[in-house]
Amino acid sequence: MRTLVIGSGGREHALLVGLSNDPEVTALHVAPGNAGTESLATNHAVDIASADAVIALAREVEADLVVIGPEVPLVLGVADALRDAGFATFGPGAQAARIEGSKAFAKDVMAAANVRTAHSEIVDNPARLDAALDRFGPTWVVKDDGLAAGKGVVVTTDRAAARVHAADLLEDGHPVLLESFLDGPEVSLFCLVDGTEVVPLLPAQDHKRVGDDDKGPNTGGMGAYTPLPWLPDGMVDRIVDEVVRPVAAEMESRGIPFSGLLYAGLAIGADGPAVVEFNCRFGDPETQAVLSLLESPLGRVLSATATGTLADLEPLRWRAGSAVTVVVAAENYPGTPRKGDVITGSEADGVLHAGTARGSDGSVVSSGGRVLSVVGTGADLAAARAQAYERIAAVKLAGAHHRSDIGLAALEGRITIP
């Protein structure tokens, strides 16, 4: 199986690691990739938002399977174009990708499917903002209705801060989604979906805020761990039955069946799971942790989903133990990150690249906000954390920062369901 992965982040590096361990995968290509992916695959400098460019590359490398990592090409319909050109493609078409690309669309699907989620209201006119804000609180959740790479969300008890964020979005021409606050710890559940067929992966928890103890602004994700020792037995099945299957069935009934990876971000409250958001692709940094424990051949798993044969796939096999991913971010992230600094130690085991490139002298340099994802695995969460932070200590990048508490609240038994 000749495989082409689309994307350049830690998620795509993790996908390539998994695919490289599948004996059925005979060639690996990535577009555009990064400084780390070139050790596993052939990097190609291609505009991944251009369907024509991606199709031309898929033809050039004679891809048997194309795996699309990021949301932007999915929302733009690159998967549709690839399928129309005859390529088996992992990732939903543009209409189905609206589950992430438009929060208003996602809310409409959930309402039709009777799936629990936050009460919400769309504001597209600054003149209506104050009255709308008065209908929410004491905790305000303010979101960009479109794609925002995880950084378009403000959750605050400060009405003034909520108003500033909403007004800024409106000023930029972005409709605002106001939501009621969902109480309870959050869970990320990835599910392979092929029409109405649903296969869940391990549940994970992301750490969105930039600083320890969940302080500071939201980011694209500063770390994750899996599985979740505090999650009750049977909760994954409940999420699949109450959330993912109904949403998949509703999309199928609308003539826009979902094919690929449906990511459900949920709050687990006293009444069970409620949806915070859906994504139409593997999440980052949860993917790095989850795939590190997958024993099933990844190429076969993705191919079955892409070719409509997920129902025939044997049950997924997982390594025992835990995995922890810690993101190493550039100075000033999630603001404008400092770039171009040399990184040492980035070729070590468990280090996945995201915002990296090759300098003119061949050294690895930073090229983005989230620079590396460092993965640790072990017999339990404590061992996985220890390995991840031991590996981070060997990585050097001027001005870099990372959270020191990924998975710590779970390890110390501080996560409870209301």
Side-chain angles (χ1 to χ4, degrees):
M1 190 189 312
R2 300 174 62 84
T3 304
L4 169 61
V5 174
I6 303 300
S8 62
R11 162 187 51 219
E12 287 76 32
H13 197 168
L15 286 165
L16 289 167
V17 170
L19 289 165
S20 72
N21 292 325
D22 183 342
E24 295 178 13
V25 175
T26 54
L28 277 174
H29 297 268
V30 60
N34 57 48
T37 61
E38 63 190 20
S39 66
L40 295 167
T42 304
N43 287 6
H44 299 269
V46 164
D47 178 6
I48 64 172
S50 166
D52 289 344
V54 173
I55 288 169
L57 177 60
R59 287 181 174 140
E60 178 188 330
V61 303
E62 301 177 332
D64 300 304
L65 174 68
V66 183
V67 180
I68 302 179
E71 62 274 22
V72 170
L74 293 169
V75 170
L76 292 176
V78 173
D80 298 294
L82 281 162
R83 277 191 276 267
D84 289 346
F87 292 99
T89 303
F90 183 89
Q95 289 299 308
R98 293 173 66 206
I99 199 79
E100 177 173 0
S102 168
K103 295 176 179 65
F105 172 79
K107 291 289 186 182
D108 185 65
V109 169
M110 284 186 275
N114 293 313
V115 169
R116 292 182 64 240
T117 187
H119 165 67
S120 65
E121 185 174 335
I122 292 282
V123 180
D124 57 9
N125 186 330
R128 302 189 185 117
L129 177 58
D130 285 306
L133 286 168
D134 290 342
R135 291 189 282 273
F136 291 83
T139 299
W140 284 266
V141 181
V142 184
K143 297 182 177 181
D144 186 333
D145 184 50
L147 297 178
K151 293 183 283 187
V153 181
V154 163
V155 180
T156 180
T157 56
D158 183 342
R159 185 186 185 282
R163 190 186 189 287
V164 166
H165 183 58
D168 286 346
L169 290 172
L170 290 167
E171 177 71 22
D172 290 338
H174 296 216
V176 170
L177 183 79
L178 300 179
E179 284 187 338
S180 57
F181 179 69
L182 293 174
D183 200 14
E186 291 196 9
V187 172
S188 300
L189 184 66
F190 298 169
C191 291
L192 302 165
V193 177
D194 164 19
T196 57
E197 192 68 28
V198 177
V199 175
L201 307 189
L202 292 179
Q205 187 177 56
D206 184 15
H207 294 61
K208 278 290 187 191
R209 293 192 182 269
V210 71
D212 284 2
D213 300 319
D214 293 326
K215 299 288 180 20
N218 272 339
T219 70
M222 292 299 292
Y225 66 98
T226 186
L228 308 180
W230 50 267
L231 195 67
D233 291 342
M235 184 57 74
V236 168
D237 290 339
R238 188 174 171 186
I239 293 167
V240 170
D241 292 341
E242 295 182 14
V243 174
V244 185
R245 287 194 201 283
V247 164
E250 173 62 22
M251 296 181 76
E252 175 104 347
S253 74
R254 295 185 182 203
I256 48 171
F258 193 97
S259 172
L261 195 290
L262 185 59
Y263 165 134
L266 311 121
I268 310 298
D271 297 326
V275 175
V276 175
E277 65 176 355
F278 282 112
N279 290 338
C280 63
R281 39 73 195 182
F282 279 104
D284 186 330
E286 298 99 321
T287 299
Q288 293 89 306
V290 171
L291 291 188
S292 71
L293 297 181
L294 179 67
E295 286 191 335
S296 297
L298 182 60
R300 187 184 305 172
V301 169
L302 301 181
S303 179
T305 309
T307 57
T309 58
L310 185 58
D312 301 327
L313 186 70
E314 61 271 21
L316 297 182
R317 303 189 310 276
W318 298 95
R319 289 172 53 191
S322 296
V324 171
T325 300
V326 183
V327 170
V328 177
E331 183 177 339
N332 201 42
Y333 178 81
T336 302
R338 175 171 152 173
K339 300 178 183 179
D341 290 304
V342 173
I343 308 164
T344 59
S346 64
E347 287 82 17
D349 287 345
V351 180
L352 300 174
H353 290 227
T356 68
R358 286 287 173 188
S360 58
D361 61 354
S363 61
V364 177
V365 299
S366 59
S367 64
R370 291 188 297 170
V371 180
L372 302 169
S373 293
V374 181
V375 181
T377 58
D380 54 26
L381 183 54
R385 270 180 46 83
Q387 186 181 74
Y389 284 107
E390 179 182 331
R391 287 173 167 175
I392 275 187
V395 175
K396 305 300 179 186
L397 169 63
H401 60 96
H402 64 269
R403 284 184 58 160
S404 66
D405 64 345
I406 303 301
L408 184 60
L411 180 62
E412 295 179 346
R414 292 187 279 116
I415 299 180
T416 57
I417 295 172

